[in-house]
Amino acid sequence: MKYDYLVVGAGLYGATFAREATNAGKKVLVIDKRPHIGGNIYTEEVEKIHVHQYGAHIFHTNNTKVWEYLQQFATFNRFTNSPVANYKGELYSLPFNMYTFNKMWGVVTPEEAKVKIEEQKREAGITTPHNLEEQAISLVGRDIFEKLIKGYTEKQWGRDCKDLPAFIIKRLPVRFTFDNNYFNALYQGIPVGGYTKMVANMLRDIDVELEVDYLENKDKWNAMADKVIYTGPIDAFYDYKLGYLQYRSVRFETEMLEQANFQGNAAVNYTDRETPWTRIIEHKWFEFGKDDRGEDIPKTIISREYSSEWKPGDEPYYPVNDEANSALYMKYRELAAGEKNVKFGGRLGEYKYYDMDAVVASALDFSEKELG
């Protein structure tokens, strides 16, 4: 059967384009090398708990168009992301806000907190931050940097904070209010029934083949459609002939516990350097938020996350968008621009860190241009 479009990857970008192309009257085939749809937002129901198999995904956006678009496929709960930081048994509120400053320094007013931060910034002699450490100290002071940022960040990136660019920390919220909602977003939540259900609704009535590797037989798959939308790693498409793009990867240790409540929160970050994992996710609290219904399920499922350097064969998570990798990506992009019938999109296809709403927005923008 001949298709108008072959979509490589059943993640959010691929599913969005496939839906739009189908709605426009095009015949679409979606393929994925994994045994499931949804890409990294895949959730699996275990003991009435929707487990985020590739790490926590919390949808948040200020883009009304994207939010309204996804309402066709899912009802979102009112989950609010309010993580907790655990530093050697001391618990702090995240993102950094007046609860954090009060616990750290005993300050009560925003003015007292600002004075403390400015004092520590001055002691560090920072005027123009040149790296992540200096940027963090200028934002929240040395005490918070040492306890809540340094160890966590170095575990996450595998590099000293002095060797990381300042921009990484700039997106971290700092509030002089008693507001511990991590995201400054108009819309926020998690699909009721899990992300897999949402993606299945997006792909309804669309041909999908799983556990097939496009790159093993590109000619065969390309012959099945007039055009290809490729959402896999761009360097893999070209058999890494210019070199490997770097990523950070994540390893998960997931276990079921015979108790109703392990940590009382969806996410707890472990910010000391000695604890090997970066955080522990308790999946049931994504579904039930802060109400008590989660206690009705007598078991709970937790995942410890370990950050690691990516190597071929690992799952690529976070692009390392430093100067060398950005330059290499631009060379691959030049090759991609010469492809007549293949278009590249999504986190891996564009070697770009994308929040979920930005993935959908990008796919919708591309769909409008491609489909008219």
Side-chain angles (χ1 to χ4, degrees), residues 261-315:
N261 191 347
F262 174 73
Q263 64 187 19
N265 205 50
V268 175
N269 294 0
Y270 286 75
T271 60
D272 62 282
R273 193 68 182 84
E274 294 72 28
T275 302
W277 53 83
T278 54
R279 64 178 177 176
I280 296 180
I281 299 303
E282 188 167 6
H283 297 268
K284 66 163 51 175
W285 302 122
F286 292 122
E287 184 82 10
F288 302 107
K290 291 184 170 63
D291 64 29
D292 293 327
R293 285 180 300 140
E295 295 275 5
D296 295 338
I297 299 174
K299 299 179 182 180
T300 193
I301 298 171
I302 64 169
S303 296
R304 291 180 175 85
E305 296 187 11
Y306 299 81
S307 185
S308 62
E309 203 72 37
W310 177 86
K311 60 184 184 300
D314 291 345
E315 193 62 45

Side-chain angles (χ1 to χ4, degrees), residues 108-328:
V108 175
T109 68
E111 188 58 36
E112 288 174 317
K114 289 177 182 178
V115 167
K116 194 73 177 176
I117 291 170
E118 189 57 38
E119 177 186 294
Q120 295 193 355
K121 177 183 175 183
R122 193 165 54 247
E123 286 174 358
I126 299 168
T127 51
T128 303
H130 295 100
N131 54 49
L132 188 147
E133 177 170 320
E134 292 180 355
Q135 180 68 53
I137 292 171
S138 69
L139 284 173
V140 291
R142 182 170 292 280
D143 291 340
I144 288 177
F145 167 72
E146 292 288 349
K147 283 191 172 185
L148 305 184
I149 297 175
K150 180 177 171 60
Y152 183 89
T153 303
E154 291 180 353
K155 286 188 290 188
Q156 189 173 39
W157 291 97
R159 292 159 176 80
D160 191 283
C161 287
K162 290 188 176 73
D163 298 327
L164 290 167
F167 75 82
I168 290 177
I169 205 79
K170 283 184 178 178
R171 66 197 295 265
L172 193 67
V174 179
R175 301 199 182 103
F176 294 95
T177 60
F178 289 91
D179 179 4
N180 63 347
N181 178 0
Y182 193 89
F183 298 120
N184 185 22
L186 183 59
Y187 309 105
Q188 183 175 173
I190 291 175
V192 174
Y195 284 101
T196 304
K197 180 181 177 182
M198 180 182 81
V199 176
N201 288 335
M202 297 173 80
L203 294 173
R204 186 181 294 128
D205 303 324
I206 297 173
D207 290 346
V208 177
E209 290 191 35
L210 301 174
E211 295 187 272
V212 293
D213 192 337
Y214 167 78
L215 296 177
E216 286 184 354
N217 201 339
K218 277 199 285 187
D219 291 341
K220 169 200 165 185
W221 292 108
N222 289 347
M224 293 181 68
D226 295 330
K227 284 190 176 181
V228 175
I229 310 301
Y230 177 80
T231 70
I234 190 170
D235 54 349
F237 183 89
Y238 291 103
D239 200 23
Y240 309 102
K241 68 180 182 180
L242 302 178
Y244 288 92
L245 291 166
Q246 290 182 307
Y247 295 85
R248 291 296 289 174
S249 192
V250 184
R251 177 174 62 85
F252 303 96
E253 286 184 357
T254 299
E255 60 178 314
M256 184 184 299
L257 303 176
E258 299 291 329
Q259 60 190 85
N261 191 347
F262 174 73
Q263 64 187 19
N265 205 50
V268 175
N269 294 0
Y270 286 75
T271 60
D272 62 282
R273 193 68 182 84
E274 294 72 28
T275 302
W277 53 83
T278 54
R279 64 178 177 176
I280 296 180
I281 299 303
E282 188 167 6
H283 297 268
K284 66 163 51 175
W285 302 122
F286 292 122
E287 184 82 10
F288 302 107
K290 291 184 170 63
D291 64 29
D292 293 327
R293 285 180 300 140
E295 295 275 5
D296 295 338
I297 299 174
K299 299 179 182 180
T300 193
I301 298 171
I302 64 169
S303 296
R304 291 180 175 85
E305 296 187 11
Y306 299 81
S307 185
S308 62
E309 203 72 37
W310 177 86
K311 60 184 184 300
D314 291 345
E315 193 62 45
Y317 280 87
Y318 304 107
V320 181
N321 294 120
D322 59 14
E323 193 172 328
N325 282 287
S326 296
L328 179 57

Side-chain angles (χ1 to χ4, degrees), residues 68-107:
E68 291 179 349
Y69 178 78
L70 291 178
Q71 300 305 301
Q72 304 172 78
F73 313 110
T75 299
F76 284 76
N77 68 16
R78 56 181 295 276
F79 177 82
T80 300
N81 189 28
S82 302
V84 172
N86 183 321
Y87 177 78
K88 298 182 179 180
E90 297 175 15
L91 300 181
Y92 292 90
S93 175
L94 295 177
F96 305 129
N97 64 80
M98 285 302 299
Y99 291 114
T100 321
F101 305 142
N102 173 263
K103 176 74 180 283
M104 185 68 69
W105 298 312
V107 297

Side-chain angles (χ1 to χ4, degrees), residues 41 43 52 57-59 189-191 193-200 356:
I41 65 171
T43 51
H52 296 225
H57 286 81
I58 301 151
F59 191 86
I190 291 175
Y195 284 101
T196 304
K197 180 181 177 182
M198 180 182 81
V199 176
M356 286 181 284

Side-chain angles (χ1 to χ4, degrees), residues 20-91:
E20 291 305 285
T22 301
N23 288 352
K26 305 297 183 182
K27 192 148 190 65
V28 179
L29 171 63
V30 178
I31 64 173
D32 201 294
K33 68 178 182 179
R34 291 173 173 172
H36 59 75
I37 61 172
N40 278 12
I41 65 171
Y42 171 69
T43 51
E44 182 178 352
E45 185 173 336
V46 181
E47 295 286 337
K48 299 182 181 177
I49 300 167
H50 291 102
V51 178
H52 296 225
Q53 295 286 6
Y54 298 90
H57 286 81
I58 301 151
F59 191 86
H60 56 98
T61 188
N62 286 309
N63 189 325
T64 300
K65 176 183 175 182
V66 167
W67 180 252
E68 291 179 349
Y69 178 78
L70 291 178
Q71 300 305 301
Q72 304 172 78
F73 313 110
T75 299
F76 284 76
N77 68 16
R78 56 181 295 276
F79 177 82
T80 300
N81 189 28
S82 302
V84 172
N86 183 321
Y87 177 78
K88 298 182 179 180
E90 297 175 15
L91 300 181

